Amino acid sequence: MNTLESLYFPGTEIYSGSQYPVFLLFSKLHVLQPVEDSETADNSADIFKTTGHCQAHTPSPLGDGRDRFLHLIRDIKDRKDDYAAQLSSLTVASMSAKKASIEDSSRGIITSLLGGHGLKTAPEEDNDVQLWQARLVLKIAEILDREEEEVAMQMALLDDEEEGLFKTLHGELADDDENLLDELKQLKEKITLPTAGSIRKRLSAWSRLYNGGKVESQQIWLTHMIEAADTLLERYEDQHNKPAAKIVEFILPANIGWGKAESIELVDSFRQNNSDLLDRIAKALTTFDTDALASLPAEWAHAIEASFPEKMNGRAQLAIYSFTESSIAELCGSKTDDSTGRLLGVISWQE
């Protein structure tokens, strides 16, 4: 049986409702986590891990420094001290500030945070410090993304309540059948996306973490962050004087649900009912069968429409590019001779 697995980047948090559809095509996603789990941690609540849909890797475990790092993260999340306030305001106000000012402020804040928790921040070449900085960037990004989505959801709920009250006052029946597409559109209208500069910083931090330890690469690297994909595509074109070739496009539902358990059930049912098609897609991608790749997207689109109608679930697009001259890991600074990781999958939501 042919299965597709993918290395997901550059974030560490993928469990957002609008990202569940990727599991329809990929049997497993591999993600980097900046901090290793505790030996006594109970991960039973993480249905993505327990069901085998997601596997987390910690390429450079913190070891004895784990508790100290987690204490730092708790400070940022829970304490209203100057550093947390500066980090939040820096992220929110970054669009109106000058780039050099943002970078200087960000570097200074991170240096202060690390120094305040007993970690030396000079010299610059200190690998441990650089890994701590990379972990910190990714964890803060994860926190801010989650908080931003929670705020957007609350605002969308308030809009729903206001609309329902307005209809009630005018003697109209409230519409209880809002579909997932409408919900997703409403959420995306409220949410403030990370800036392009922020995503490039995440990619840099993710690359440092990836290269800091041993992580088995995958043939396909997958991202929903367009700026991260654009950065790699630009690097490839600059190095080889030609663009990476787009070899295939598949459609996906924009959303299949907000609940983890419900979404996993839908994913498993779809994959079971379309196992032969999934096998052929996996084989075509792993063998670069151009004839199959030309015909399979139509068959896939028919299967998606049958299970997740566009008018109810919306549409996203997965474009896959081929990096023939160098691996994606090399474009991320890896010094190892790795022939894998030459397909880049880019997910974009269709308006």
Side-chain angles (χ1 to χ4, degrees):
M1 177 182 292
N2 293 287
T3 58
L4 284 179
E5 298 187 17
S6 179
L7 185 62
Y8 187 90
F9 76 100
T12 57
E13 175 65 45
I14 66 168
Y15 310 139
S16 169
S18 60
Q19 296 168 37
Y20 296 156
V22 300
F23 292 103
L24 297 172
L25 185 60
F26 294 94
S27 58
K28 181 183 291 186
L29 298 187
H30 297 262
V31 298
L32 300 191
Q33 56 183 24
V35 186
E36 66 270 27
D37 293 326
S38 168
E39 294 181 0
T40 59
D42 179 11
N43 292 321
S44 60
D46 191 341
I47 190 172
F48 289 93
K49 292 181 182 178
T50 57
T51 56
H53 292 78
C54 180
Q55 182 174 350
H57 305 269
T58 309
S60 302
L62 277 161
D64 294 339
R66 179 179 179 275
D67 290 342
R68 189 152 43 108
F69 182 83
L70 292 179
H71 178 64
L72 168 58
I73 296 301
R74 284 193 295 271
D75 279 351
I76 295 171
K77 289 176 62 177
D78 302 329
R79 290 177 51 193
K80 304 301 181 184
D81 56 20
D82 291 340
Y83 291 138
Q86 288 182 64
L87 283 165
S88 297
S89 62
L90 177 68
T91 303
V92 172
S94 60
M95 288 186 291
S96 61
K98 293 182 179 179
K99 181 178 179 181
S101 175
I102 296 169
E103 293 176 349
D104 290 343
S105 298
S106 178
R107 192 178 303 112
I109 293 170
I110 290 175
T111 298
S112 297
L113 279 167
L114 296 176
H117 283 74
L119 185 72
K120 61 180 181 178
T121 55
E124 186 66 25
E125 65 270 16
D126 189 327
N127 186 60
D128 288 341
V129 172
Q130 292 180 5
L131 286 174
W132 266 65
Q133 291 175 334
R135 295 185 188 99
L136 187 58
V137 167
L138 292 175
K139 290 300 291 184
I140 291 173
E142 180 181 313
I143 292 168
L144 293 174
D145 282 353
R146 188 182 297 113
E147 290 181 350
E148 179 65 39
E149 185 166 305
E150 289 173 355
V151 169
M153 284 185 171
Q154 290 301 318
M155 293 176 65
L157 287 173
L158 288 174
D159 282 353
D160 285 344
E161 292 177 2
E162 182 179 354
E163 182 180 357
L165 178 59
F166 181 82
K167 287 183 176 181
T168 300
L169 291 173
H170 287 76
E172 301 176 21
L173 293 176
D175 183 8
D176 295 326
D177 297 324
E178 184 176 36
N179 62 34
L180 288 170
L181 176 57
D182 291 336
E183 292 176 1
L184 184 60
K185 285 181 177 178
Q186 196 173 20
L187 179 63
K188 288 184 175 294
E189 289 173 356
K190 303 294 183 184
I191 202 165
T192 301
L193 297 176
T195 64
S198 171
I199 291 180
R200 284 193 292 270
K201 288 184 175 66
R202 295 187 195 192
L203 177 59
S204 178
W206 188 93
S207 300
R208 186 175 296 281
L209 196 64
Y210 174 84
N211 294 323
K214 180 62 177 176
V215 178
E216 183 178 354
S217 184
Q218 300 294 323
Q219 183 184 23
I220 300 177
W221 287 33
L222 181 69
T223 186
H224 73 286
M225 295 185 175
I226 305 301
E227 291 81 2
D230 286 344
T231 297
L232 294 179
L233 290 168
E234 290 169 4
R235 289 178 186 175
Y236 183 87
E237 186 168 1
D238 289 344
Q239 287 188 17
H240 304 291
N241 295 316
K242 63 178 181 180
K246 183 190 294 185
I247 60 172
V248 69
E249 290 183 354
F250 293 103
I251 65 166
L252 290 170
N255 196 0
I256 60 176
W258 298 107
K260 294 182 181 181
E262 176 190 4
S263 296
I264 289 295
E265 289 180 3
L266 291 171
V267 165
D268 289 344
S269 176
F270 177 86
R271 291 186 59 84
Q272 182 177 358
N273 294 335
N274 296 278
S275 58
D276 176 69
L277 175 58
L278 286 163
D279 287 346
R280 287 186 283 123
I281 290 175
K283 182 178 180 181
L285 285 171
T286 54
T287 61
F288 293 93
D289 185 338
T290 55
D291 290 337
L293 291 176
S295 60
L296 284 171
E299 189 175 350
W300 171 261
H302 179 76
I304 290 293
E305 180 63 26
S307 297
F308 306 99
E310 181 175 2
K311 66 179 182 180
M312 290 293 296
N313 299 89
R315 286 292 175 261
Q317 178 177 287
L318 170 64
I320 298 180
Y321 298 84
S322 175
F323 290 64
T324 56
E325 303 295 331
S326 60
S327 70
I328 305 174
E330 291 170 338
L331 296 175
C332 286
S334 175
K335 303 301 181 183
T336 60
D337 184 14
D338 186 359
S339 60
T340 61
R342 294 183 181 272
L343 295 179
L344 173 66
V346 186
I347 303 167
S348 57
W349 189 69
Q350 296 180 355
E351 297 291 344

